[in-house]
Amino acid sequence: MKPCILIGHSPLDKGAYHKSIGFEYDYNLEIAFGLRSEIDVFTIKDFKKGYTNTIKQDVYPMTKDYDLVLELHFNSHNSSTNGCEALYWHKSTIGKKIAEKFCKLMNEEFGSINRGAKPISNASQRGYATFAYQKPTVVLLEPFFCTGTETEKFDEPHEKERYRNVIRKLLDWVEDEKLF
């Protein structure tokens, strides 16, 4: 199996924000930086070409030789929503298994509410292009909502390492299950 990590968003479009952990892009860059000796990490420079064209012209060439792309994000919503979820291409049975396992591991490690694996099937859904225009299996990880009390679980350095360990366990499980 040949996996990689893709940081969601870009330095110019950093995604969700929370006062204690900062921007989604910066947070996930730090998470991935701690894994870079174990797995290839890619970032998106910008989305000046538009989201779909950026995926087709910039992201796909970077990831096309991999079996699995874990795209790192976190959710932003309102103060009453908590939990983790993972998105996958609706036709990918492997993507669904990996998304389900990620949510289970987050529940076990952090006690996160398991909001489940969410299939992506049409252009009106968030992240559609990342699934529709890439060859590898893509699973978009949303470990928490950056609003509300849940964010505190992911703020400290040791908590970031616990989250990295969840990603490591996920990759070990994919390898053990021989999904690729």
Side-chain angles (χ1 to χ4, degrees), residues 102-112 153-154 158-159 161-167 169:
F102 171 74
C103 292
K104 182 179 180 202
L105 289 169
M106 289 299 294
N107 173 262
E108 291 169 357
E109 182 65 32
F110 289 98
S112 300
K153 292 182 195 178
F154 298 92
H158 70 281
E159 302 302 332
E161 189 57 30
R162 284 177 64 200
Y163 176 41
R164 284 187 201 100
N165 284 334
V166 167
I167 294 171
K169 287 178 187 176

Side-chain angles (χ1 to χ4, degrees), residues 6-124:
L6 177 64
I7 307 301
H9 299 282
S10 76
L12 301 176
D13 174 20
K14 293 186 173 207
Y17 176 81
H18 186 273
K19 63 183 180 210
S20 72
I21 61 173
F23 283 101
E24 185 175 358
Y25 174 82
D26 298 329
Y27 178 86
N28 285 313
L29 193 62
E30 184 179 344
I31 295 298
F33 188 76
L35 294 165
R36 75 191 181 292
S37 66
E38 303 160 55
I39 187 171
D40 291 339
V41 175
F42 297 102
T43 60
I44 299 168
K45 181 180 172 186
D46 60 55
F47 289 95
K48 290 179 183 174
K49 298 174 186 173
Y51 176 68
T52 299
N53 285 334
T54 298
I55 298 299
K56 288 179 177 178
Q57 297 171 19
D58 297 342
V59 174
Y60 175 71
M62 288 188 295
T63 64
K64 68 181 174 67
D65 295 328
Y66 291 84
D67 299 311
L68 174 63
V69 176
L70 297 178
E71 186 169 333
L72 304 186
H73 285 267
F74 61 68
N75 272 320
S76 176
H77 196 54
N78 62 51
S79 61
S80 64
T81 306
N82 290 307
C84 70
E85 57 191 23
L87 312 178
Y88 67 95
W89 185 242
H90 68 108
K91 293 181 181 178
S92 175
T93 56
I94 292 173
K96 180 179 181 182
K97 287 178 184 179
I98 295 168
E100 289 171 341
K101 183 65 174 182
F102 171 74
C103 292
K104 182 179 180 202
L105 289 169
M106 289 299 294
N107 173 262
E108 291 169 357
E109 182 65 32
F110 289 98
S112 300
I113 295 168
N114 184 343
R115 295 175 53 87
K118 312 280 189 208
I120 301 300
S121 61
N122 66 68
S124 67

